[in-house]
Amino acid sequence: TEIYTLSLHDALPICHELLSDGERTVLRRLSVFAGGWTLDAAEQVCSGRRISRDAVLDLLTGLVDKSLVTASEQGPKVRYGLLETVRQYAAARLAGAGELDEQRERHLAFHIALAQVAEPQLLGVGRGDPVLDTLATEMPNIRVAVEWAATSDPAAGLRLVTALTVFWLFTGRYREGDTCYARALDAAGEEPTVLRGRAIAGRASLGHYGGAAEAAHGWAQVALDIGEACRDVWTQGRALNTLGLKASLGDPAGGRPLLQRSVELATQAGDDWCRIDASNCLAIGWIFQDEFDTARPLLADMQATATQHDYRWALAWPWLCLGWEAAFQGRLTDARKLLERSVAVSDEVGLPITNGLANGFLTYVHLAGGNTELAYSLASTTLKWVQETGA
């Protein structure tokens, strides 16, 4: 391997000289990608200044034919990449051409647009949905984009991480998301802007479900202060959701006014994720107090909203709560069916929280039904999984 790497390194200048001017330009511009790219990404990031978007495909194909770019089919799309030795050589050429900053900006802009287009679509995703797969595949590029934004355009970094909040929540990427939030927020300074408030509110939501409840409480309070100062109801709604959830864990009645206000503000802001999540937290608060009759209308409203908009993820909570009630009342067959529905929907999206809770109650149902072996197996598997995700 070492001999091959040295030979490739030595051969690159010769190969580079045999390329057309267009191929050289595209090759060096491709070095800004991490973990590969699609044709659409290459067309948007590598075009401009002597290279038209329509020309990128032919130039990219030429580089593949010359074995300087790799190409592999991933479903209906082709994903391209560079060997690390080639990428380093191309990156040096990019810096030498004085194009590094421009290409980083184009790369950052592309991935912000990708995340912002995906954000509203995430509420309707299911297993194998291309939106989830695309964002997961592009995480190496997103991490690079966050880092570049931190050194050149902190506001852009805040836009990027905020747009990914629901993706990180749905897929259980708590640690990865928090790392990106921390980098973007550290770079942005302390000025209380709308962008900063939204980013901190997003970090608080992620932190609470990712096991950092105390830190999340502090972030949510800061976000609420910024949201009120900037009159941004979106930020206020999300911050109050986290604060209300934290309060409800110790005192359901004490958290209720915060969550009710969160629902109101989220409705006003058109933030369906927050409205549904806060409504769910209200329902669970009543369930904590064994007030199932009071919780049931809230759950019915959530189910209606989820069905109307085809939000599969939003069905996981009502089925979990109804299964919880059935287990509490000793209706073990009903409880098992409802909880299995919650697990199935959670698996479709990847929701670690509802998956873990539903499987936890299923463990109880199996124990109550005398199936100790199955209960132990399910509990062990679930515990290992939630520990790995950080849920």
Side-chain angles (χ1 to χ4, degrees):
T1 303
E2 184 178 353
I3 294 174
Y4 173 77
T5 302
L6 288 172
S7 299
L8 178 58
H9 182 272
D10 293 339
L12 279 172
I14 299 173
C15 296
H16 187 265
E17 289 304 314
L18 296 176
L19 300 177
S20 68
D21 288 342
E23 288 172 332
R24 292 175 194 161
T25 300
V26 169
L27 179 63
R28 65 177 180 258
R29 292 177 180 178
L30 291 171
S31 67
V32 298
F33 287 103
W37 64 87
T38 61
L39 174 60
D40 182 50
E43 288 176 337
Q44 294 195 48
V45 175
C46 296
S47 59
R49 286 218 293 173
R50 302 186 306 279
I51 301 294
S52 69
R53 178 167 178 164
D54 292 340
V56 171
L57 175 58
D58 287 341
L59 295 170
L60 188 58
T61 302
L63 293 170
V64 172
D65 292 341
K66 296 175 177 67
S67 300
L68 290 170
V69 170
T70 63
S72 59
E73 292 186 4
Q74 295 188 2
K77 292 186 177 182
V78 176
R79 190 160 186 85
Y80 301 91
L82 291 173
L83 295 175
E84 182 58 21
T85 303
V86 178
R87 193 200 66 78
Q88 291 178 6
Y89 179 83
R93 303 291 301 195
L94 183 67
E99 295 180 333
L100 181 58
D101 289 345
E102 179 182 349
Q103 292 310 120
R104 284 180 170 181
E105 290 173 5
R106 294 179 73 92
H107 178 276
L108 173 60
F110 174 81
H111 288 94
I112 290 174
L114 182 75
Q116 289 180 333
V117 168
E119 184 178 17
Q121 298 175 14
L122 288 168
L123 298 184
V125 297
R127 176 178 292 170
D129 192 283
V131 176
L132 285 175
D133 291 345
T134 294
L135 291 177
T137 301
E138 295 300 341
M139 280 312 301
N141 278 309
I142 288 169
R143 287 193 292 269
V144 167
V146 170
E147 186 61 35
W148 287 344
T151 60
S152 61
D153 190 351
L158 295 178
R159 289 195 295 273
L160 177 56
V161 296
T162 301
L164 291 165
T165 302
V166 172
F167 169 72
W168 283 321
L169 282 166
F170 279 9
T171 57
R173 296 169 182 264
Y174 304 110
R175 298 186 186 95
E176 183 171 49
D178 188 69
T179 297
C180 289
Y181 267 118
R183 185 70 179 106
L185 285 164
D186 287 347
E190 300 293 330
E191 185 180 356
T193 64
V194 169
L195 280 177
R196 182 170 176 79
R198 292 191 173 199
I200 297 174
R203 189 183 190 188
S205 298
L206 200 67
H208 188 96
Y209 285 114
E214 292 303 323
H217 181 272
W219 296 330
Q221 187 59 61
V222 172
L224 180 60
D225 292 342
I226 294 175
E228 290 175 344
C230 297
R231 298 183 180 180
D232 181 26
V233 294
W234 191 98
T235 295
Q236 293 176 53
R238 292 215 173 183
L240 286 167
N241 182 31
T242 301
L243 293 170
L245 176 56
K246 176 67 165 59
S248 292
L249 295 178
D251 176 16
R256 203 161 287 139
L258 301 175
L259 291 169
Q260 289 171 336
R261 183 58 176 158
S262 175
V263 172
E264 294 171 2
L265 293 173
T267 302
Q268 184 178 340
D271 185 356
D272 282 354
W273 176 83
C274 183
R275 178 169 61 86
I276 292 171
D277 198 68
S279 296
N280 165 69
C281 293
L282 277 169
I284 288 180
W286 287 112
I287 291 173
F288 278 159
Q289 297 177 309
D290 299 336
E291 295 284 352
F292 292 102
D293 289 342
T294 308
R296 208 173 293 115
L298 290 168
L299 299 175
D301 182 63
M302 289 169 60
Q303 285 181 307
T305 300
T307 302
Q308 177 185 354
H309 297 288
D310 197 24
Y311 292 163
R312 294 283 295 165
W313 64 274
L315 293 171
W317 283 111
W319 282 333
L320 166 64
C321 293
L322 292 171
W324 182 345
E325 177 185 10
F328 178 83
Q329 295 173 347
R331 296 184 287 111
L332 300 185
T333 300
D334 291 341
R336 180 178 55 78
K337 291 179 180 179
L338 289 162
L339 293 168
E340 285 176 347
R341 282 185 178 183
S342 180
V343 170
V345 172
S346 299
D347 283 343
E348 282 192 30
V349 179
L351 294 166
I353 297 297
T354 47
N355 188 299
L357 287 171
N359 276 316
F361 278 110
L362 274 174
T363 297
Y364 166 78
V365 169
H366 294 319
L367 279 174
N371 199 333
T372 306
E373 185 176 344
L374 179 57
Y376 181 82
S377 175
L378 180 59
S380 299
T381 302
T382 302
L383 179 60
K384 180 181 178 182
W385 187 69
V386 295
Q387 286 175 332
E388 287 175 351
T389 61

